[in-house]
Amino acid sequence: MAMEMWSNLGTLTATIFFLATMARKYLPRELYENFREPLRRIARFLSPYIILVIEENEGIRISDLYESVQIYLSTLSSSAAARLKLSKPQKATAFTFTMDKGQQIMDEFQGFNAWWTLRSRECKPPLFSRYNASDEKRHFELKFHKKNKARVFETYLPHVIAEAKILELKNRQRKIYTNKGGKSHSYEDRNRVWTPMVFEHPATFETLALDPEVKDDIMEDCRKFSQRESYYKKVGRAWKRGYLLYGPPGTGKSSMIAAISNFLEYDIYDLELTEVKSNTELRKLLIGTTNKSIIVIEDIDCSLDLSDRKKKAKKKSKEEQNPKKEENDNDDSRVTLSGVLNFTDGLWSCCGSEKIIIFTTNHVDRLDPALLRSGRMDKHIHLSFCTFSAFKVLARNYLGVENHPLFEKVEVLMKKAEITPADVTEELMRVSDDPTAALEKLIETLQRALETAAVKNEVSPENESVEDTLVAEGSPPVAVIGEGSSLN
């Protein structure tokens, strides 16, 4: 009896599909439109299968579930699909296979079958849109028998997500993202507000030219932040933290960011404020970031006018007496100080969790105090000129030496001279195969830095020479190497 019932049901379903095909082929379009939806409803009612649709986009973000399905199916594609898309990420050891549009993969799980299909549809742009190209909307379809509905939701889909996480961690490459400017005409560019690149910066805290005490303090702060999810939730605060890195150019602010990223294993979102046209777009970029990430705004004092409002008010009162139009390098951007403040500590800042926001600047005194307060920039890190302890790290990294007879002279000079770690690195790299020659060249550079500083301070070098400084410190005079001396 049951077999006969299913046989009759199959015949009825086939008849309905046949009638629908004939109606579409021979009936006038207007008449067919009246019958199409009722026929679809009948077919769905009679079909023993359920189809779930998983869209690629959730608003302006890529769906986490869509990406999980894509990762999971990559392990099945090479053996189950007839048409594949082949790729090989940079420095990856194996090829990656993904489904092509219209392909179907059958996955057998705990005694039942599930069918996955990648679909796409073209969506025409609005009549007055600035984009000429059509959008391509992609989605996965999951088809399974109705009797397996509970098992799919309770067991199968959690299995897909769990397996995707394992595969992602196994093959994960840290990435750096940028918000691109200009008009884009491709589907992916217009639907992804961030463009990723593989991030392989070698900087670590071990190689960072920084005083050990400061280095340990930053590492402990990062470690504590990453482990305090329950604490942030208990006190009612968004799980985020703000760092301000400030100091002269060449003191290692970018290397510090890379070291934090490698230490925490977080992705980096490098936000170029001059490319953001409005506060609304700024919020979209914030929403588009993932958890466990670092949002970086470098040289914030140069990106937008975020200077102290009190100072601007005084300046404006003087200019009212002698009005003069100032040039604005960011006429196309309407991002305001208020928008940046809300970005860092407003209602939208709680979208997502476990995020670090890092601002860098060479002139911290130019920034508005509201931007620097706790809750926005929780920790201020001053990266100053190179100290002797930082120099020893560079000497170990670039010259492979832990100690050297010339270290004493370098230490004495560094107490007086102002030189950045970048300048020290440049000198050490010139003759890295000869530590003595490299250190002598560095000493020469330090001497010139002292003499330059003496001139700026209107102190004659004859009154306080480099040799006098060394003798006063209890060290023998330094043998000055002439400009024409060979480094080889």
Side-chain angles (χ1 to χ4, degrees):
M1 180 67 69
M3 291 294 297
E4 184 179 353
M5 182 184 68
W6 282 110
S7 177
N8 293 335
L9 183 60
T11 302
L12 179 60
T13 304
T15 302
I16 293 173
F17 277 107
F18 173 76
L19 293 175
T21 303
M22 298 302 293
R24 182 172 63 252
K25 187 174 182 179
Y26 294 107
L27 289 180
R29 181 177 181 82
E30 294 78 7
L31 187 59
Y32 169 71
E33 292 293 337
N34 294 331
F35 286 98
R36 182 174 63 173
E37 187 58 31
L39 288 173
R40 283 183 175 178
R41 290 179 181 177
I42 294 172
R44 285 196 296 265
F45 176 77
L46 295 176
S47 174
Y49 296 100
I50 295 176
I51 296 178
L52 299 180
V53 175
I54 302 172
E55 297 281 359
E56 181 178 15
N57 292 93
E58 291 179 345
I60 63 172
R61 292 189 58 180
I62 303 298
S63 166
D64 292 337
L65 180 57
Y66 180 94
E67 290 194 328
S68 295
V69 171
Q70 192 172 45
I71 294 171
Y72 175 77
L73 293 180
S74 66
T75 61
L76 306 176
S77 298
S78 59
S79 58
R83 183 182 176 89
L84 303 171
K85 293 173 66 176
L86 177 66
S87 62
K88 188 176 185 295
Q90 187 179 12
K91 294 190 176 181
T93 57
F95 291 102
T96 300
F97 298 93
T98 54
M99 294 174 63
D100 198 7
K101 292 179 293 185
Q103 293 298 297
Q104 187 178 82
I105 291 177
M106 187 188 77
D107 185 22
E108 184 177 352
F109 178 76
Q110 294 184 356
F112 71 90
N113 295 330
W115 292 268
W116 291 98
T117 308
L118 178 61
R119 303 286 189 189
S120 68
R121 63 182 184 276
E122 185 179 10
C123 299
K124 295 293 184 181
L127 183 61
F128 299 103
S129 172
R130 60 175 177 166
Y131 302 113
N132 296 323
S134 301
D135 268 350
E136 181 189 24
K137 302 296 184 182
R138 295 182 295 187
H139 65 271
F140 282 110
E141 289 183 357
L142 171 59
K143 179 181 176 182
F144 54 90
H145 201 282
K146 289 179 178 180
K147 66 180 180 180
N148 298 317
K149 180 178 179 179
R151 299 170 68 185
V152 166
F153 283 100
E154 295 173 7
T155 308
Y156 181 61
L157 287 178
H159 163 76
V160 169
I161 295 173
E163 287 295 313
K165 286 183 178 179
I166 294 173
L167 290 170
E168 186 177 19
L169 289 174
K170 181 181 177 180
N171 304 318
R172 186 177 186 272
Q173 290 180 298
R174 198 164 303 115
K175 295 181 180 178
I176 182 169
Y177 296 80
T178 181
N179 58 308
K180 54 207 168 298
K183 295 181 180 179
S184 177
H185 299 283
S186 71
Y187 162 76
E188 291 188 353
D189 284 348
R190 275 181 282 141
N191 287 273
R192 299 187 184 225
V193 293
W194 294 99
T195 301
M197 293 281 292
V198 175
F199 183 68
E200 296 179 319
H201 199 292
T204 64
F205 278 107
E206 184 179 352
T207 62
L208 208 60
L210 198 63
D211 288 337
E213 298 81 5
V214 178
K215 191 183 300 185
D216 292 341
D217 177 65
I218 297 171
M219 293 173 64
E220 180 59 26
D221 192 82
C222 291
R223 187 183 296 108
K224 186 181 295 184
F225 166 77
S226 66
Q227 297 171 353
R228 302 186 80 183
E229 178 180 10
S230 58
Y231 174 78
Y232 277 86
K233 187 178 295 184
K234 183 181 73 174
V235 299
R237 291 189 57 175
W239 191 12
K240 66 178 184 63
R241 190 155 179 80
Y243 290 159
L244 174 69
L245 309 183
Y246 67 98
T251 51
K253 292 183 283 293
S254 296
S255 296
M256 170 70 75
I257 294 169
I260 293 175
S261 170
N262 289 328
F263 180 68
L264 294 175
E265 297 187 348
Y266 286 5
D267 290 334
I268 294 178
Y269 288 84
D270 186 15
L271 176 58
E272 179 55 60
L273 278 180
T274 57
E275 294 290 342
V276 184
K277 303 308 178 187
S278 66
N279 292 336
T280 300
E281 186 177 337
L282 186 62
R283 287 194 294 269
K284 289 180 179 179
L285 288 165
L286 176 63
I287 296 171
T289 60
T290 60
N291 300 338
K292 292 182 176 292
S293 62
I294 300 172
I295 304 171
V296 177
I297 304 178
E298 293 196 272
D299 298 320
I300 189 170
D301 55 303
C302 301
S303 300
L304 294 173
D305 185 10
L306 303 177
S307 55
D308 192 333
R309 286 167 286 187
K310 293 181 180 179
K311 293 180 180 179
K312 283 195 290 186
K314 292 180 181 178
K315 183 178 179 181
K316 184 177 179 181
S317 63
K318 293 180 181 179
E319 291 174 348
E320 286 174 350
Q321 301 174 1
N322 185 19
K324 181 180 179 181
K325 185 176 180 181
E326 293 185 355
E327 294 183 0
N328 186 358
D329 294 334
N330 301 304
D331 288 335
D332 293 336
S333 177
R334 293 190 297 274
V335 176
T336 63
L337 173 61
S338 175
V340 176
L341 295 179
N342 288 325
F343 175 85
T344 55
D345 193 33
L347 291 174
W348 290 92
S349 67
C350 63
C351 296
S353 60
E354 201 171 353
K355 296 180 181 181
I356 293 177
I357 301 176
I358 298 180
F359 286 176
T360 73
T361 180
N362 298 332
H363 307 283
V364 68
D365 56 304
R366 296 181 184 178
L367 299 178
D368 192 283
L371 191 63
L372 304 177
R373 70 163 176 81
S374 296
R376 293 192 175 108
M377 295 295 104
D378 303 291
K379 191 174 184 64
H380 296 193
I381 302 172
H382 182 213
L383 299 177
S384 187
F385 295 104
C386 192
T387 62
F388 181 67
S389 58
F391 157 76
K392 291 180 70 175
V393 176
L394 294 176
R396 184 182 68 241
N397 294 341
Y398 290 90
L399 303 179
V401 295
E402 295 285 350
N403 206 350
H404 193 278
L406 292 176
F407 274 17
E408 184 179 0
K409 298 177 183 179
V410 172
E411 181 178 11
V412 173
L413 286 168
M414 278 191 169
K415 290 180 179 179
K416 297 271 187 179
E418 291 184 344
I419 184 170
T420 66
D423 292 330
V424 173
T425 299
E426 180 62 26
E427 298 300 336
L428 299 183
M429 289 181 66
R430 290 188 182 186
V431 280
S432 58
D433 57 337
D434 187 348
T436 300
L439 291 173
E440 288 175 345
K441 185 64 179 176
L442 174 62
I443 290 170
E444 180 185 353
T445 301
L446 288 167
Q447 289 173 333
R448 288 200 301 269
L450 269 179
E451 293 168 359
T452 302
V455 172
K456 288 183 178 179
N457 295 326
E458 297 181 350
V459 177
S460 173
E462 296 177 359
N463 298 332
E464 186 179 359
S465 66
V466 174
E467 288 80 1
D468 292 337
T469 301
L470 292 173
V471 171
E473 296 286 346
S475 300
V478 179
V480 180
I481 303 175
E483 283 291 331
S485 301
S486 174
L487 298 177
N488 298 324

